[in-house]
C-alpha cells in the first residue's frame, strides 16, 4: 500500500539514500531475469497492488526494448 513501510520506502528511496535495481522477466514462467539497472520512482497508481512507474537510469538496448515491448503488447 501507498502508506505502508514498503510503499513509503519505494516512494522516498532517493531521500533515504537508497538505490533501486530493477530486474524483469518476460513471463511468469521464465526462470531467468534480465537486469535492467538502477531506476528512480516516478509515480504509482492503485493500492493493492501499487503499480509503480520507474525511470531507468540507462535506456534499454533496442533489441531488449523491442522484446519487452512485444511481451507487454
Amino acid at each position: 500500500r501507498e502508506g505502508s513501510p514498503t510503499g513509503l520506502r519505494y516512494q522516498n528511496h532517493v531521500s533515504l539514500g537508497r538505490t533501486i535495481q530493477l530486474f524483469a522477466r518476460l513471463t511468469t514462467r521464465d526462470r531467468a531475469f534480465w537486469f535492467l539497472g538502477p531506476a528512480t520512482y516516478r509515480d504509482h497508481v492503485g493500492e493493492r497492488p501499487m503499480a509503480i512507474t520507474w525511470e531507468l537510469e540507462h535506456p534499454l538496448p533496442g533489441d531488449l526494448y523491442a522484446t519487452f515491448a512485444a511481451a507487454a503488447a
Side-chain angles (χ1 to χ4, degrees):
R1 291 188 178 227
E2 180 179 5
S4 72
T6 301
L8 292 171
R9 187 173 62 242
Y10 287 147
Q11 293 171 70
N12 301 310
H13 73 92
V14 173
S15 63
L16 295 171
R18 295 178 181 237
T19 301
I20 301 295
Q21 304 289 331
L22 285 186
F23 293 80
R25 56 187 175 178
L26 292 173
T27 71
T28 58
R29 296 180 310 277
D30 289 346
R31 294 183 65 188
F33 284 78
W34 292 91
F35 175 56
L36 305 182
T40 303
Y41 170 89
R42 289 296 170 227
D43 195 14
H44 76 274
V45 293
E47 280 282 323
R48 294 182 73 178
M50 281 176 60
I52 298 175
T53 301
W54 299 100
E55 181 179 339
L56 293 174
E57 187 173 312
H58 308 286
L60 293 178
D63 57 340
L64 191 56
Y65 181 87
T67 300
F68 277 101

